[in-house]
Amino acid sequence: MQPPLPAPRPSPDALHDAGWPGEARAALVCSGLLLGTALIVDAGALGLTLPRALGCVALSALLLVVLLPARVSAAPGRLTVQGLWVTRTVRTDRLTAVVWPANTAQGLSLRDEDGTRAEVDLRVLLANPALWLRIEADAHASRERGTLARGTADLARLSSHVHAETARTVLKVSGLG
């Protein structure tokens, strides 16, 4: 029997959502505060019982699931979106579709040649311009290879939007906007 292969080392070129740790911490704090408050109120008002305590824990866990954001990272040629139960890795150098619906404007959907699909929240791309630049460069490489068949107009529209928002933020931070 062969020994198991070592886990792949993270790429030194990998970029991560810099705001994720803070958002995850805030989700944990909110769900913890809800749990603590619910237990204290329930114990003071009605007397705490096991079924009520389990209900408070379940409600707190549900809030955590709702508030916990997906973790996004990008390495050359790949984008990984890691949710609570599902991790999706899209080959950004082999994209077949980039979809940014005009009516929602909050999520970018990417699909590669293998059929893998991942969605990225637009706020993550706006907060992390380096992530967007990596995705954009790989998407342009896909278009040059001829694999990106659908979404070049959405890609151009999204590129203009992200670059305009980034410029607006830089001007605001520098005191010029």
Side-chain angles (χ1 to χ4, degrees), residues 50-126:
L50 182 61
R52 287 190 192 130
L54 291 176
C56 292
V57 169
L59 186 62
S60 171
L62 179 64
L63 181 65
L64 179 63
V65 167
V66 169
L67 292 180
L68 191 66
R71 189 171 201 165
V72 178
S73 63
R78 100 177 29 108
L79 174 79
T80 302
V81 179
Q82 184 177 5
L84 196 56
W85 290 290
V86 177
T87 299
R88 297 208 165 123
T89 300
V90 175
R91 293 293 311 257
T92 52
D93 57 349
R94 298 185 340 199
L95 290 174
T96 58
V98 175
V99 180
W100 184 46
N103 57 353
T104 62
Q106 290 303 315
L108 172 66
S109 179
L110 304 168
R111 183 179 300 272
D112 65 11
E113 288 179 329
D114 300 329
T116 308
R117 188 176 71 95
E119 292 187 18
V120 181
D121 191 338
L122 183 60
R123 292 174 294 183
V124 172
L125 300 177
L126 292 174

Side-chain angles (χ1 to χ4, degrees), residues 132 136 155-165:
W132 164 247
E136 183 183 32
L155 182 65
R157 189 168 48 88
L158 181 60
S159 179
S160 295
H161 179 72
V162 171
H163 290 294
E165 287 297 319

Side-chain angles (χ1 to χ4, degrees), residues 11 16 20 28 32 59 65 69 141 148:
S11 170
H16 302 279
W20 186 86
L28 283 169
L59 186 62
V65 167
L148 185 59

Side-chain angles (χ1 to χ4, degrees), residues 32-56:
L33 286 174
L34 175 67
L35 177 62
T37 304
L39 289 175
I40 289 170
V41 168
D42 199 31
L46 303 170
L48 191 59
T49 64
L50 182 61
R52 287 190 192 130
L54 291 176
C56 292

